[in-house]
Amino acid sequence: MIVRLLSGLSTRAPSVLYRVALMMKPQVVFVLGGPGAGKGTQCSKIVESYSYTHLSAGDLLRAERARDGSEFGQLIDNCIKEGKIVPVEITINLLRKAMEETMQTDEKNFRFLIDGFPRNEDNLQGWNTVMDGKADVKFVLFFDCSNEVCINRCLERGKSSGRTDDNRESLEKRIQTYLQSTRPIIDQYAKQGKVRTIDASRCVDEVFADVKAIIDKED
Ligand code: ADP
Ligand code: C5P
Ligand code: MG
């Protein structure tokens, strides 16, 4: 009898956990900061130590630009060079698909670092429209860095990145977009008490020590 009970439990337990996991809403951390602030670098380090999936909106857009048959390639290419923000209908679909695919691979994959999003009011509205109630935004990691440091890091990255926007002309436009469109979004989240600001001008390991302290406290 006991054996039957235990074996019943052991076969039922995973399915119960599985169902709980299926009901688990994606838990999202938005990662924001100027171009070159170190968002991608820090997200990679977070993924090494914590159970998060890193989704970079910029990487997803670059992949879509390169995808054979994409109807948006030209538009994305132009926006990236000009430092403009791609219409959210495109970006939110890429993010939503990537999140769904990730969650399908394993029910444990429901924590996301969404890097470089939302970058303007259009992005934020798109997120609220499509994802409202479907995902929880836990907090915003804000990598704070002077424009000068951002530009120098991107110019250095440009020596090997092959990116069409790691040049001085594009960078000036990207910084303007950041100041005019992204900072107000960070400010909105700050008013809700959701922003965790990190001094990103220091070396990678010092920045990561602060990142870890924040994630450990939030989790
Ligand atoms: P973002 O994703 O915010 O644009 P990246 O993580 O790609 O920034 O970093 C931009 C460039 O700066 C990369 O070449 C990276 O190696 C370098 N970098 C990142 N963090 C630091 C840091 N704390 N100090 C110095 N260089 C950094
Ligand atoms: O974050 P990353 O530096 O990779 O972004 C590169 C470019 O991708 C941005 O300057 C912008 O043109 C585009 N982008 C966007 N919308 C986002 C994220 C990136 O249009 N949410
Ligand atoms: Mg990046």
Side-chain angles (χ1 to χ4, degrees):
M1 180 64 180
I2 290 172
V3 171
R4 270 225 314 276
L5 259 178
L6 281 177
S7 67
L9 271 182
S10 69
T11 51
R12 266 202 302 278
S15 86
V16 169
L17 287 179
Y18 185 63
R19 271 182 275 141
V20 169
L22 283 183
M23 287 185 285
M24 203 79 100
K25 263 196 222 168
Q27 302 292 298
V28 170
V29 175
F30 286 143
V31 181
L32 294 173
K39 302 181 291 296
T41 303
Q42 295 295 327
C43 285
S44 299
K45 291 183 74 70
I46 295 169
V47 166
E48 284 170 16
S49 307
Y50 299 90
S51 145
Y52 274 95
T53 299
H54 173 210
L55 297 178
S56 154
D59 285 350
L60 290 169
L61 287 164
R62 281 183 286 273
E64 175 64 20
R65 174 180 66 177
R67 186 173 65 82
D68 273 348
S70 169
E71 52 183 316
F72 306 121
Q74 195 59 52
L75 177 104
I76 294 171
D77 190 48
N78 190 49
C79 283
I80 287 180
K81 265 187 226 140
E82 293 299 317
K84 291 187 184 149
I85 307 303
V86 172
V88 72
E89 290 76 9
I90 297 173
T91 316
I92 199 79
N93 264 324
L94 295 171
L95 282 170
R96 192 178 43 77
K97 247 176 75 185
M99 287 170 78
E100 281 169 9
E101 282 168 13
T102 303
M103 288 189 294
Q104 273 161 19
T105 58
D106 190 326
E107 66 266 24
K108 289 197 291 292
N109 294 340
F110 63 94
R111 292 167 196 267
F112 295 92
L113 299 164
I114 301 196
D115 160 5
F117 185 95
R119 254 183 157 106
N120 65 2
E121 197 60 48
D122 176 56
N123 273 191
L124 181 59
Q125 281 184 12
W127 174 270
N128 288 337
T129 305
V130 175
M131 300 304 286
D132 188 38
K134 298 195 181 82
D136 293 331
V137 178
K138 290 163 61 174
F139 57 95
V140 176
L141 265 185
F142 169 35
F143 291 102
D144 193 14
C145 206
S146 72
N147 297 340
E148 197 194 353
V149 170
C150 282
I151 290 171
N152 287 334
R153 285 186 188 167
C154 287
L155 289 176
E156 192 58 35
R157 182 176 63 188
K159 290 178 185 168
S160 59
S161 67
R163 281 178 56 155
T164 55
D165 58 349
D166 279 345
N167 58 75
R168 205 168 272 282
E169 202 189 331
S170 293
L171 274 162
E172 266 159 30
K173 296 174 184 169
R174 291 165 69 193
I175 293 282
Q176 283 314 309
T177 300
Y178 168 65
L179 296 175
Q180 284 164 14
S181 305
T182 311
R183 286 301 296 248
I185 303 300
I186 298 169
D187 293 343
Q188 283 188 44
Y189 278 113
K191 285 197 187 117
Q192 301 168 27
K194 285 202 161 181
V195 176
R196 310 289 175 262
T197 303
I198 293 163
D199 173 3
S201 62
R202 298 162 301 158
C203 72
V204 170
D205 289 343
E206 278 179 306
V207 175
F208 188 59
D210 281 10
V211 169
K212 268 168 70 177
I214 289 167
I215 296 183
D216 289 341
K217 198 171 154 208
E218 299 286 342
D219 272 350

